[in-house]
Amino acid sequence: QVQLVESGGGLVQAGGSLRLSCAASGSVFRINAMGWYRQAPGKQRELVATITSTGRTNYADSVKGRFTISRDNAKNTVYLQMNSLKPEDTAVYSCNADLTYYNGAYYVTNDYWGQGTQVTVSS
């Protein structure tokens, strides 16, 4: 079994910073792309940032210059450093990973989601 466990959410004032972490556990063989998505109340889930296995990144226009995604392949972990936070960044942030794991018999590639972590930015 594979799990994505997130941490680092919380309450912060506008202009502040938070760092989210997402670690993949289990019989992970290889992690391909990883990313962060968010969903605010009453809105659809939207992409925040993604990073490929080679380190290529992609950001939503709304977070460019403020958020930085990075990964530690040795720890199967992806991070999201969020600076200059705004009230409109308030949402549940979820980690996503496209990864390959060994199920004891063969290798399986699948898409996984973390449980989500709340980020609240007060004005």
Side-chain angles (χ1 to χ4, degrees):
Q1 292 291 335
V2 173
Q3 279 189 319
L4 299 182
V5 179
E6 298 145 344
S7 61
L11 173 64
V12 65
Q13 287 188 330
S17 299
L18 283 174
R19 188 192 194 207
L20 305 182
S21 299
C22 172
S25 64
S27 301
V28 177
F29 172 70
R30 180 183 62 241
I31 298 180
N32 304 313
M34 299 186 82
W36 289 93
Y37 294 74
R38 67 186 182 186
Q39 187 167 20
K43 294 187 177 181
Q44 290 189 329
R45 179 186 287 170
E46 63 174 356
L47 179 148
V48 176
T50 60
I51 185 167
T52 68
S53 58
T54 58
R56 187 175 65 190
T57 58
N58 179 51
Y59 295 92
D61 288 342
S62 59
V63 306
K64 282 181 181 176
R66 300 188 298 122
F67 291 10
T68 301
I69 189 171
S70 61
R71 60 190 284 174
D72 184 333
N73 292 330
K75 296 181 179 180
N76 289 335
T77 300
V78 64
Y79 305 95
L80 185 68
Q81 178 66 44
M82 305 184 293
N83 298 328
S84 302
L85 282 161
K86 304 175 181 179
E88 51 263 44
D89 294 319
T90 295
V92 175
Y93 284 69
S94 299
C95 170
N96 173 268
D98 175 73
L99 59 83
T100 302
Y101 71 96
Y102 184 66
N103 70 359
Y106 47 88
Y107 292 94
V108 178
T109 297
N110 215 335
D111 195 61
Y112 288 86
W113 289 90
Q115 79 282 3
T117 185
Q118 178 69 45
V119 171
T120 302
V121 184
S122 63
S123 57

